[in-house]
């Protein structure tokens, strides 16, 4: 190996980090090492293929992953039962990749180049392509031993010109000219117990070199579009399947729906009226999942179903199954409170579509009947809830009318009845339930309002009683205080959280005020009697003196003397403004 190639191989060997593969020859790390070496051989002629743009974009890992996956990546796209058939398959794959090259370099294109590399490398390793059970056992031992001796895989070819392959069968036939004899010597070594330490150890570097050169030549042939191989154009259907596989790769390996949709446009350019590619795309999108993926899958199935063919019934069953699942999900969703009014009609429509695609589906017919039944039952429940809402609103208005007429007890009772009706409205129908919840809040507020109003009246009666006491209208005050229990009686027990405690407090206060009024009346009558007696004793016509008002600061006028506000005290006499009992001179009471 030249210094140039040794340096490159060592620097890129760090890329080897993929998991095990389903390979027929060359185990994972050996295969990756071949691909990395082939990249170095290819780069002078095609320097931008693996790094097509400036920056960090690179397809090297995609190439290596394709080589790691090998034949399994093509699934049922190719089949062969002999080495010559594999050579023909490689030749066909070269043409496919040449023909789709104008659609631009992509990660999947690089991946397929890696797959092509794996097939090419297998052909030049003795026991790389085997078909008998005994051959497969020997192949497994050889692969394992090579993987265990990776340092032996060195490039021995030096600088060389890349070969443009006109005929893959002839090209690989020439590179396998010692294949049969090499197989015999390797088989003899393994049979005798030498195994890897015999002929294989001496030749493995040569096989590695041959594999790397073959891969580089195949890649060069793909990329050298200026040279014509004299082949007919790849059939449109083959290219269509290539893009189907690319969409598969982007969805399942790259998880990139956006790029998959871009590739779909390429598919549309080459697709023909054949159902299978569309059915496969439907499977891919549907399995990808998500709302958009499922919708795309159904769309592709419908396109496939529109084309007559043997697969039409199979596609119809997929569509029928899909719409049955949609309908079942909608039936379940209709049971959730607040379900959209169109949920059940949409379920019915889904079941009808399922039946359209599979006319023999008994279950679809049964689900159609169920959906119709559920629609009628939901309609009845809707009407019942509307009636409840109307009744509750009517009861609220009755309460309002009672409140306006002063019938507070009847108002509260009506509001409480409305609450009970509002509360019985189901949460199944969002708008009705929302209106009922608003009604509940309104009824609660109305009860609070009535209670507040009644408490205010009771409190007002107490305040009026206090004013009557101040005016010495004691009997009127007592009557006002005694009216409080009757006023509060219009509030039913437990009307609000605090109403019972508020009633008890006001009733207690009213009772206390009655006692205070009686005491005040007794004191007042006593003072009147005392003043009358004093007046009679002094033959004075003056009216009796009223009890001093706390903080009195002004002496009202006396008979024959103008008022003397703030008169200062005289020697031996306190100021009149502070003289006890002189705060206010009451008038004689009117006869009772």
């Amino acid at each position: 190996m030249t210094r140039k190639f040794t340096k490159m191989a060592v620097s890129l060997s760090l890329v080897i980090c993929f998991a095990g593969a389903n390979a027929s020859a060359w185990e994972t790390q050996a295969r990756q090492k071949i691909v990395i070496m082939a990249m170095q051989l290819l780069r002078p002629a095609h320097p931008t293929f693996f790094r097509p743009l400036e920056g960090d974009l690179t397809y090297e890992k995609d190439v290596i992953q394709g080589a790691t996956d090998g034949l399994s990546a093509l699934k049922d796209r190719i089949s062969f039962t002999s080495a010559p058939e594999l050579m023909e398959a490689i030749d066909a794959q070269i043409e496919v990749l040449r023909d789709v090259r104008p659609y631009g370099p992509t990660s999947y294109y690089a991946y397929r180049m890696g797959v092509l590399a794996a097939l090419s490398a297998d052909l030049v390793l003795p026991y790389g392509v085997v078909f008998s059970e005994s051959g497969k056992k020997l192949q497994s031992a050889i692969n394992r031993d090579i993987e265990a001796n990776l340092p032996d895989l060195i490039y021995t070819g030096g600088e060389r010109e890349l070969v443009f392959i006109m005929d893959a069968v002839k090209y690989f036939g020439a590179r396998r000219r010692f294949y049969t004899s090499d197989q015999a010597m390797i088989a003899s070594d393994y049979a005798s117990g030498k195994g890897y330490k015999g002929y294989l150890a001496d030749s493995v570097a040569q096989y590695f070199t041959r594999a790397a050169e073959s891969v580089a030549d195949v890649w060069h042939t793909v990329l050298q579009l200026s040279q014509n191989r004299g082949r007919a154009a790849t059939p449109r259907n083959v290219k269509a399947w290539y893009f189907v596989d690319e969409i598969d790769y982007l969805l399942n390996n790259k998880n990139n729906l956006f790029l998959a949709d871009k590739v779909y446009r390429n598919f549309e350019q080459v697709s023909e009226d054949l159902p299978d590619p569309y059915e496969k795309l439907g499977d891919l999108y549907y399995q990808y999942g998500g709302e958009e993926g499922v919708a795309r899958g159904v769309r592709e199935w419908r396109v496939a179903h529109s084309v007559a063919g043997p697969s039409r019934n199979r596609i119809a069953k997929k569509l029928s199954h899909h719409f049955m699942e949609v309908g079942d999900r909608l039936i379940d969703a209709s049971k959730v409170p607040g379900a959209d009014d169109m949920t059940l009609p949409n379920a019915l429509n889904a079941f009808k579509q399922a039946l359209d695609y599979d006319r023999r589906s008994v279950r679809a017919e049964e689900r159609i009947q169920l959906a119709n039944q559920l629609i009628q039952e939901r309609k009845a429940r809707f009407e019942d809830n509307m009636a409840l809402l109307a009744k509750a609103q009517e009861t609220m208005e009755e309460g309002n009318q009672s409140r306006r007429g002063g019938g507070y007890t009847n108002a509260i009772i009506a509001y409480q009845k409305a609450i009970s009706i509002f509360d019985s409205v189901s949460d199944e129908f969002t708008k009705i339930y929302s209106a009922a919840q608003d009604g509940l809040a309104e009824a609660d507020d109305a009860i609070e309002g009535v209670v507040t109003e009644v408490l205010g009246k009771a409190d007002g009666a107490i305040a009026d009683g206090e004013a009557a006491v101040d005016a010495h209208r004691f009997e009127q005050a007592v009557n006002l205080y005694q009216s409080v229990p009757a006023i509060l009686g219009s509030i039913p027990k437990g009307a609000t959280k605090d109403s019972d405690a508020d009633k008890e407090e006001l009733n207690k206060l009213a009772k206390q005020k009655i006692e205070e009024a009686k005491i005040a009346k007794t004191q007042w009558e006593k003072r009147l009697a005392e003043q009358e007696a004093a007046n009679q004793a002094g033959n004075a016509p003056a009216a009796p003196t009223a009890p001093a008002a706390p903080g009195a600061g002004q002496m009202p006028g006396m008979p024959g003397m103008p008022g003397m506000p703030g008169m200062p005290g005289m020697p031996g006499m306190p100021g009149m403004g502070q003289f006890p009992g002189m705060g206010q001179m009451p008038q004689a009471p009117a006869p009772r």
Side-chain angles (χ1 to χ4, degrees):
M1 179 187 286
T2 64
R3 182 180 300 274
K4 174 180 178 182
F5 285 131
T6 302
K7 183 177 181 181
M8 289 181 180
V10 170
S11 64
L12 279 176
S13 65
L14 298 176
V15 179
I16 299 177
C17 58
F18 291 89
N22 297 319
S24 55
W26 301 106
E27 292 287 351
T28 302
Q29 294 188 66
R31 182 169 294 189
Q32 292 170 1
K33 195 168 183 179
I34 291 169
V35 168
I36 291 170
M37 190 66 247
M39 288 180 183
Q40 311 315 309
L41 297 174
L42 183 73
R43 184 155 292 158
H46 304 279
T48 62
F49 172 67
F50 299 112
R51 294 181 181 271
L53 300 173
E54 294 182 1
D56 297 331
L57 180 62
T58 174
Y59 295 139
E60 290 173 350
K61 287 188 177 181
D62 295 291
V63 175
I64 294 172
Q65 186 63 61
T68 303
D69 293 345
L71 182 62
S72 65
L74 294 177
K75 300 171 183 175
D76 56 351
R77 296 287 174 263
I78 67 171
S79 62
F80 53 90
T81 58
S82 65
E85 287 183 7
L86 176 56
M87 296 175 196
E88 291 174 357
I90 291 174
D91 197 83
Q93 289 299 306
I94 290 173
E95 283 305 303
V96 171
L97 292 175
R98 281 172 62 88
D99 285 346
V100 298
R101 178 67 178 162
Y103 291 94
T106 65
S107 61
Y108 180 67
Y109 190 89
Y111 176 80
R112 285 288 289 266
M113 291 284 271
V115 174
L116 185 58
L119 299 179
S120 303
D122 286 351
L123 273 173
V124 297
L125 175 66
Y127 291 98
V129 181
V130 294
F131 303 95
S132 66
E133 289 303 318
S134 59
K136 290 178 182 178
K137 290 181 180 179
L138 185 53
Q139 179 194 65
S140 177
I142 291 170
N143 292 343
R144 183 178 61 250
D145 289 340
I146 292 176
E147 193 78 355
N149 292 276
L150 289 175
D152 293 347
L153 302 184
I154 57 175
Y155 183 72
T156 61
E159 302 267 3
R160 70 185 285 272
E161 291 291 328
L162 295 172
V163 176
F164 185 84
I165 302 172
M166 293 296 295
D167 186 327
V169 175
K170 291 182 179 179
Y171 172 84
F172 283 104
R175 297 190 74 80
R176 285 163 50 95
R177 62 185 180 273
F178 301 113
Y179 193 88
T180 304
S181 59
D182 287 2
Q183 276 187 321
M185 286 186 283
I186 293 172
S188 176
D189 287 341
Y190 274 86
S192 67
K194 288 184 180 180
Y196 177 81
K197 296 179 180 179
Y199 184 77
L200 183 57
D202 296 333
S203 306
V204 71
Q206 180 184 356
Y207 298 143
F208 170 78
T209 300
R210 197 176 297 166
E213 290 175 347
S214 298
V215 171
D217 290 342
V218 168
W219 284 349
H220 171 67
T221 305
V222 170
L223 299 175
Q224 192 70 12
L225 298 181
S226 60
Q227 288 184 253
N228 195 321
R229 298 183 74 227
R231 302 291 196 281
T234 300
R236 289 168 59 88
N237 188 48
V238 173
K239 288 194 284 188
W241 276 112
Y242 171 87
F243 291 123
V244 170
D245 291 338
E246 183 168 12
I247 290 171
D248 184 354
Y249 180 76
L250 291 171
L251 292 177
N252 294 310
N253 291 68
K254 298 294 187 177
N255 190 27
N256 196 322
L257 183 62
F258 173 75
L259 286 181
D261 286 343
K262 291 184 68 174
V263 173
Y264 185 85
R265 299 170 198 161
N266 298 336
F267 167 79
E268 288 182 307
Q269 295 178 31
V270 299
S271 64
E272 298 176 332
D273 291 334
L274 295 173
D276 292 351
Y278 285 100
E279 181 186 5
K280 179 61 177 178
L281 284 174
D283 295 345
L284 292 172
Y285 278 113
Y286 198 85
Q287 291 164 7
Y288 182 75
E291 185 176 349
E292 185 176 357
V294 169
R296 286 295 303 277
V298 172
R299 189 184 81 178
E300 300 307 317
W301 283 340
R302 280 177 157 161
V303 173
H305 183 263
S306 67
V307 180
S311 61
R312 197 166 189 266
N313 288 337
R314 181 179 66 244
I315 299 167
K317 288 191 177 297
K318 291 181 180 180
L319 286 164
S320 180
H321 179 74
H322 162 72
F323 285 111
M324 287 298 295
E325 286 192 337
V326 170
D328 287 341
R329 286 197 298 270
L330 290 172
I331 290 291
D332 291 339
S334 71
K335 301 173 185 177
V336 177
D340 188 270
D341 292 338
M342 290 304 297
T343 303
L344 284 173
N346 288 340
L348 176 61
N349 182 59
F351 293 135
K352 287 181 177 179
Q353 290 189 73
L355 187 61
D356 286 341
Y357 284 111
D358 185 1
R359 302 303 302 179
R360 293 179 293 180
S361 174
V362 175
R363 187 170 182 274
E365 292 178 344
E366 292 173 347
R367 300 303 274 181
I368 287 173
Q369 293 177 3
L370 174 63
N372 278 318
Q373 177 185 339
L374 293 175
I375 288 172
Q376 293 305 314
E377 291 175 354
R378 179 180 169 87
K379 181 181 178 182
R381 292 194 302 274
F382 178 84
E383 292 172 352
D384 290 344
N385 278 273
M386 283 293 292
L388 285 172
L389 180 64
K391 181 62 178 177
Q393 292 171 339
E394 180 184 338
T395 306
M396 277 292 296
E397 182 55 31
E398 291 174 0
N400 292 338
Q401 290 177 3
S402 295
R403 181 179 180 181
R404 287 192 291 267
Y408 299 116
T409 301
N410 289 337
I412 291 176
I413 291 173
Y415 293 144
Q416 289 175 331
K417 182 179 178 182
I419 287 174
S420 177
I421 301 172
F422 279 131
D423 200 43
S424 66
V425 173
S426 168
D427 60 359
E428 181 177 5
F429 306 96
T430 302
K431 291 183 179 179
I432 300 176
Y433 182 70
S434 178
Q437 292 301 300
D438 291 343
L440 278 172
E442 182 183 350
D444 282 334
D445 290 344
I447 291 174
E448 287 283 355
V450 171
V451 169
T452 300
E453 188 174 341
V454 173
L455 292 175
K457 286 182 177 293
D459 195 56
I462 292 174
D464 290 344
E466 290 172 340
V469 169
D470 290 341
H472 315 299
R473 297 190 298 274
F474 299 108
E475 290 185 3
Q476 179 185 0
V478 170
N479 289 336
L480 287 167
Y481 293 144
Q482 289 176 337
S483 71
V484 169
I487 294 172
L488 295 175
S490 62
I491 302 176
K493 185 177 180 179
T496 67
K497 181 179 67 173
D498 300 321
S499 60
D500 289 349
D502 292 338
K503 286 169 59 179
E504 182 179 356
E505 182 180 349
L506 285 174
N507 278 324
K508 183 177 179 181
L509 179 61
K511 185 176 181 181
Q512 177 183 333
K513 289 293 184 180
I514 290 172
E515 296 302 318
E516 291 177 356
K518 289 179 179 179
I519 294 171
K521 177 183 178 183
T522 301
Q523 291 176 343
W524 174 250
E525 289 175 344
K526 180 179 179 183
R527 287 178 186 272
L528 287 178
E530 290 174 351
Q531 189 63 45
E532 181 67 25
N535 288 342
Q536 290 177 358
N539 297 316
T545 302
Q554 180 177 356
M555 182 180 75
M558 299 177 63
M561 181 181 295
M564 300 178 66
M567 178 179 177
M570 297 177 67
M573 180 184 295
M576 297 295 288
Q578 299 175 347
F579 191 58
M582 300 297 289
Q584 181 179 1
M585 190 73 71
Q587 303 296 318
R592 292 186 178 275

